[in-house]
Amino acid sequence: MLVIEKFTFGVGDRFAHQAAAQLRAFEQLAEDGVDVAPVWNKSNREHTFVGSKPQSVYDAAKNAIETRGWNKAWHVDADHIQLATVDPFIPCSDFFTIDVADSIGKAASQEEIAAFVDRHPELVGTLTLEGLSSPLEVSKEDVQRVAEQYLLAVKEAGEIYRHIADAKGADNVIAEISMDETDSPQTPPELLVILAAIADEQVPVQTIAPKFTGRFNKGVDYVGDLKQFEREFNDDVAVIAHAVKTYGLPETLKLSVHSGSDKFSLYPIIRECLQRTGAGLHIKTAGTTWLEEIIGLAEAGGDGLALAKEIYAYALEHVEEFCAPYASVIDIDNSKLPDAETVNGWSGPRLASAIRHIQDNEHFNAHMRQLLHVSFKVAAKHGDRYTDLLKKNQEIVGNEVTKNIYERHLRPLFVG
């Protein structure tokens, strides 16, 4: 298998114009003494919305790598792929986020479930693992219930992985299994059962993305019980370490925290755990770069500001349409969305401050930010007009992109 680095960080680039600006953030972090490998990701759904192809992500990333002389690791992620969508990603990706959320809750055969339960008596009982907040109490009935919920999904992950490995060669593949886009979070005991099933399926998984308790809404901070997240995250790290030793999973296996949310309140919790345990991490902030483009265009004034206002006005007229696919990961109060006439009267800095995620700014509006986050296909409708303005205002837009990733994400997460 292709061995993943200890720390990897996923960045989205909806319109393939910000790879160099994104890479600058990783260069700045390297100057701080912390190496994190950038992972450019874009899902099939996003490609469909903007009319792009998977190869474009690789091409943009490769151009940035060569232009800036980056000599450290980097990857391109086939984000949230399934068997029906993976093939166009195989030639141009080396990181594959295998999404099996649709199969969660669909039961495998009773024979397969019974065989799994019988094969894993070590999962039953009081499990005291190093680093756990408290021992795991797992009954045989618990193992069966988790197998009924997840075994078919794991088998699907195995099928997808083997399809990729057969086509590309296992030595060229980093496998991630994603279970985060589902309704119910996976508890640490459930994660242990799932990892045992993955080992049985012989998938050399290097990152696993469970769903955590709480809300990871698009473009805004985590909403939930920070103490509960801290217990879950720390316990998941302990479970992964145990599963690596017990089931022969790759030593590089690490936890992945997904979603297009900003996770500012979680970064201190995650950073403390990584420093204490020496664990690795993969984390994604997909989508926020598109918001920084809008902020940059607003700050640029003129035609850029005019288009930013048009995009917001159109999104406002199509709230239900744009929000429907993301209903589980946004919380927008329509009464908190200013009308188009009001926004048309704003200056560029005023509009930028409403969207830019600085929570103590009196003008910050989380509802506007979430709406614009899920409205990126409006920019795609403008085609060359949008991308030409990105090129025209490359410096100011790029500075917003770099500052956001470095100052608000990478540095708080890995440096403090």
Side-chain angles (χ1 to χ4, degrees), residues 255-272:
L255 203 56
S256 180
V257 185
H258 271 201
S259 82
S261 76
D262 288 337
K263 297 166 272 285
F264 298 161
S265 61
L266 302 183
Y267 287 163
I269 294 170
I270 296 172
R271 185 179 68 248
E272 188 280 329

Side-chain angles (χ1 to χ4, degrees), residues 120-416:
H120 290 287
E122 80 286 350
L123 289 168
V124 177
T126 301
L127 308 178
T128 303
L129 314 182
E130 184 178 354
L132 280 180
S133 58
S134 60
L136 304 181
E137 299 289 346
V138 184
S139 67
K140 187 173 182 179
E141 292 72 24
D142 290 332
V143 176
Q144 173 147 343
R145 175 184 54 78
V146 177
E148 289 173 347
Q149 187 82 354
Y150 294 101
L151 188 59
L152 186 68
V154 170
K155 288 185 172 295
E156 181 187 354
E159 181 183 6
I160 298 170
Y161 168 75
R162 286 184 288 274
H163 177 82
I164 297 166
D166 287 347
K168 195 173 182 72
D171 290 347
N172 301 309
V173 175
I174 293 169
E176 170 170 285
I177 295 179
S178 164
M179 296 186 170
D180 66 306
E181 293 199 351
T182 187
D183 292 335
S184 301
Q186 294 94 38
T187 64
E190 288 173 336
L191 180 61
L192 181 56
V193 176
I194 290 166
L195 290 172
I198 291 172
D200 285 355
E201 197 64 22
Q202 297 185 322
V203 178
V205 62
Q206 294 191 73
T207 90
I208 180 101
K211 181 179 177 65
F212 293 95
T213 301
R215 298 278 295 184
F216 290 79
N217 290 335
K218 295 290 184 183
V220 293
D221 201 359
Y222 172 81
V223 178
D225 184 332
L226 293 179
K227 287 295 184 183
Q228 183 174 10
F229 175 85
E230 183 175 17
R231 286 192 301 272
E232 286 184 8
F233 187 86
N234 281 277
D235 285 355
D236 282 351
V237 167
V239 162
I240 286 172
H242 174 76
V244 167
K245 295 175 185 176
T246 304
Y247 300 114
L249 290 165
E251 292 184 359
T252 47
L253 176 58
K254 59 186 181 179
L255 203 56
S256 180
V257 185
H258 271 201
S259 82
S261 76
D262 288 337
K263 297 166 272 285
F264 298 161
S265 61
L266 302 183
Y267 287 163
I269 294 170
I270 296 172
R271 185 179 68 248
E272 188 280 329
C273 179
L274 301 183
Q275 292 174 345
R276 176 171 44 81
T277 64
L281 177 73
H282 181 61
I283 194 162
K284 291 187 182 183
T285 60
T288 55
T289 286
W290 138 250
L291 291 171
E292 299 309 313
E293 288 179 338
I294 290 294
I295 290 167
L297 292 179
E299 290 279 15
D303 292 343
L305 174 59
L307 181 55
K309 290 177 177 179
E310 283 181 42
I311 289 171
Y312 174 71
Y314 189 90
L316 196 60
E317 292 176 355
H318 296 81
V319 171
E320 292 185 8
E321 173 192 343
F322 293 156
C323 292
Y326 300 95
S328 64
V329 286
I330 52 176
D331 283 317
I332 295 175
D333 182 345
N334 289 4
S335 70
K336 301 291 179 61
L337 294 171
D339 59 47
E341 184 178 354
T342 297
V343 172
N344 281 337
W346 287 353
S347 67
R350 174 67 180 84
L351 177 56
S353 66
I355 307 167
R356 186 182 290 115
H357 197 181
I358 298 178
Q359 296 178 38
D360 58 2
N361 186 304
E362 63 176 333
H363 294 139
F364 173 61
N365 187 319
H367 308 276
M368 284 187 71
R369 183 172 170 86
Q370 288 178 86
L371 175 59
L372 284 167
H373 192 294
V374 301
S375 301
F376 60 90
K377 61 183 176 181
V378 183
K381 290 167 70 74
H382 287 278
D384 290 346
R385 182 185 173 200
Y386 181 74
T387 53
D388 286 350
L389 282 168
L390 292 181
K391 294 172 188 175
K392 179 181 177 182
N393 299 286
Q394 180 178 352
E395 183 175 356
I396 189 168
V397 172
N399 285 339
E400 294 290 342
V401 170
T402 302
K403 183 185 295 186
N404 174 59
I405 295 174
Y406 174 68
E407 293 185 2
R408 301 189 192 107
H409 294 278
L410 290 175
R411 188 171 173 83
L413 181 55
F414 293 105
V415 179

